[in-house]
Every structure is written in C-alpha cells, then in structure tokens.
Amino acid sequence: MNNATTHASAPVHFDEETIRQSFNQTPFLLEHELVGHPLFELSRLIELAATLPAEQVEYNSGDLPLTQDPLKTPRNGLSIQETIQRIEECRSWMVLKNVEVDPSYKQLLDSCLDPLIRFCPDMRTREAFVFVSSPGAVTPYHVDHECNFLLQLVGTKTVRILLPNDPTVIQERDLERFYAGGSRNLLRLDSQTEAKATTFELTPGLGLHFPVTAPHWVKNGRAVSISFSITFHTGRSDRREILYRINHKMRTLGLHPQP
C-alpha cells in the first residue's frame, strides 16, 4: 500500500489517505504481519482460554443461519478446551473476549493500535478478541459498537458488510434498541438488504475495517480460521452511544426524539 504510515515495529500497515477518507465511514482492507505469531497457536489459545473467566469465552455450534435468535443459539456439547483442540472437525465457532487482560496480548494490541493515535487522538477503551472457528462456520448477521479492525491469521473468511448510515438497512430505532442493551443480532436480513452488501475475501495477512454499527455477517472457508480483532472507542462513538440510549428512554416515556 503506497502511502502506508508505519512505525519501526508496527505489525499493522495503516494507509494514511485511506484512514483519513474512510475510517468509520466505509469498510476497507489493510495488511498486517501477524501471520505465524506464537500468541495465536492453538496450544497458546488453549492456555489463554483456561485463564479467562467463563463470561469472556463464547462458543457454540458453527452451523447457524445468517439470521439467528441469540437465545436459541445451539451449544456444541464440548468444553472450551475440547472445542479448540477439535476445532477442525467439531463444526464450532468461538470468541475469546477481552484477551488484553493477558499482558502479552495487551502488548500486541497496543503495538497494533498505537500508530492510529495520530488519526484518533481521543482513542479509548482498547479491547482485543480472538476468533477461532471451524471450516464453514457462520457468524450470523449482526452489528457491533466498537471501531474494529479484523486481522486474518489462519484460514480464510468471506465477510459481507453494509454501510452503517443507510436507513434502508438499519434504522434509528434499531440502533436505539441495540445501544439500550438489545442483542447484536437484532436485525433481520432479507434479500433486498443482502443484495446491497459488499463482499470482502480475507486471507492470512489481510485485515478489514468495520465502521461502528456496520451490519455484517461472516462465513469461514474450507479450513480452520483464526482471527484477531483489535477494537477501541472514541469520544465521538461514546457520545453517540449515550445519545441513542437517551433517545430509547425518551421513546419508552412516550416522547418522539429527533434522530
């Protein structure tokens, strides 16, 4: 990437022009150098999972429809350790949340995000997630509230993503319910919406930027997939969340707030 802004040891290559034009507006690809990093070997991830509280490890069957009721998501019948050990054949999806509680992952997260501070001086609440999933596993249609860069390390993923500011895709009341505590899977995907999505193919060494609340869904390729998600909030994104929560509360009181 021609205008990449890099630091001596920065593992993620951020293109200055792309960041200035597209950050938190539209999705875009980028490159990174984390392929083969020892923190993402399965043995190390088993060790990490054993140290995390239960609420920081989410896993279930990977055979899911694109639209999935989170309360009815089927489990896979295995332990956390068994799921990782048998990830190639157990048809499962797993995320290790807030892995920055481990100092090694925290150091890596900071080395990835520090070069972005010049573009996001109000960066705050850095968090990291590791996704481990079986061949063909599906991540259903959903939204997230963080600024996110998903870095592909092992295997491939097809990501289909929509713009976060398209009112025909996601409406104000959808966002109000989401920020008020509703499920990230609150949206329903129809054929008209699906046709508007942009498709990105992620291979090892590539990453993808997800703007805040950009609806998306993911399907793994034919091999085990491991991805590292580096996320953060900004002052702007935090204020946005507060405003949506206030608007949701106003609606419950019978008022009609402006978007």
Side-chain angles (χ1 to χ4, degrees):
M1 294 188 177
N2 289 331
N3 296 314
T5 299
T6 59
H7 289 210
S9 58
V12 181
H13 300 188
F14 295 108
D15 181 78
E16 180 172 343
E17 182 177 354
T18 302
I19 291 292
R20 293 193 184 281
Q21 292 182 353
S22 301
F23 174 72
N24 213 25
Q25 300 296 318
T26 58
F28 57 84
L29 292 171
L30 66 159
E31 298 174 350
H32 67 85
E33 299 178 4
L34 294 180
V35 176
H37 197 290
L39 287 179
F40 302 103
E41 295 176 358
L42 288 182
S43 58
R44 181 64 176 90
L45 295 177
I46 292 172
E47 177 185 328
L48 172 65
T51 67
L52 295 175
E55 63 270 17
Q56 287 180 219
V57 182
E58 180 181 347
Y59 65 106
N60 50 249
S61 169
D63 293 327
L64 300 178
L66 295 182
T67 301
Q68 172 67 45
D69 182 343
L71 298 179
K72 299 179 181 179
T73 302
R75 300 299 295 269
N76 64 5
L78 303 174
S79 70
I80 297 168
Q81 288 76 18
E82 288 173 326
T83 297
I84 299 176
Q85 289 170 339
R86 298 174 55 188
I87 196 64
E88 187 168 359
E89 79 272 358
C90 69
R91 303 183 69 82
S92 297
W93 174 94
M94 170 182 281
V95 57
L96 307 179
K97 303 178 181 179
N98 294 112
V99 300
E100 74 279 356
V101 298
D102 181 300
S104 296
Y105 293 89
K106 175 65 164 62
Q107 183 178 13
L108 182 60
L109 172 64
D110 286 340
S111 71
C112 291
L113 290 181
D114 281 348
L116 268 182
I117 293 176
R118 60 179 294 198
F119 306 108
C120 305
D122 62 343
M123 182 187 294
R124 59 184 73 174
T125 320
R126 298 182 182 189
E127 297 174 305
F129 306 81
V130 179
F131 293 91
V132 185
S133 41
S134 299
V138 169
T139 305
Y141 186 51
H142 70 286
V143 297
D144 297 306
H145 66 283
E146 308 97 343
C147 303
N148 179 21
F149 292 89
L150 181 68
L151 310 178
Q152 190 67 15
L153 307 171
V154 175
T156 64
K157 281 183 173 177
T158 298
V159 180
R160 302 199 68 194
I161 186 169
L162 295 122
L163 295 178
N165 55 0
D166 184 344
T168 68
V169 170
I170 185 168
Q171 300 179 0
E172 290 293 305
R173 292 195 183 192
D174 295 326
L175 291 168
E176 290 170 12
R177 288 192 294 270
F178 170 65
Y179 278 119
S183 167
R184 65 177 183 256
N185 295 13
L186 56 84
L187 302 177
R188 290 292 175 262
L189 181 64
D190 57 38
S191 57
Q192 289 183 329
T193 300
E194 186 172 352
K196 296 180 179 181
T198 300
T199 300
F200 292 92
E201 301 292 343
L202 294 188
T203 57
L206 285 182
L208 179 63
H209 171 55
F210 295 74
V212 175
T213 65
H216 60 279
W217 67 100
V218 183
K219 184 171 183 179
N220 284 1
R222 298 179 180 179
V224 169
S225 172
I226 301 176
S227 308
F228 187 44
S229 181
I230 55 174
T231 77
F232 58 93
H233 295 238
T234 64
R236 180 184 178 88
S237 67
D238 283 348
R239 289 191 296 273
R240 183 174 187 257
E241 179 171 348
I242 292 168
L243 288 171
Y244 275 118
R245 288 183 177 183
I246 291 172
N247 279 3
H248 182 269
K249 181 63 176 179
M250 291 174 70
R251 288 193 196 278
T252 67
L253 298 174
L255 302 174
H256 303 282
Q258 292 294 316

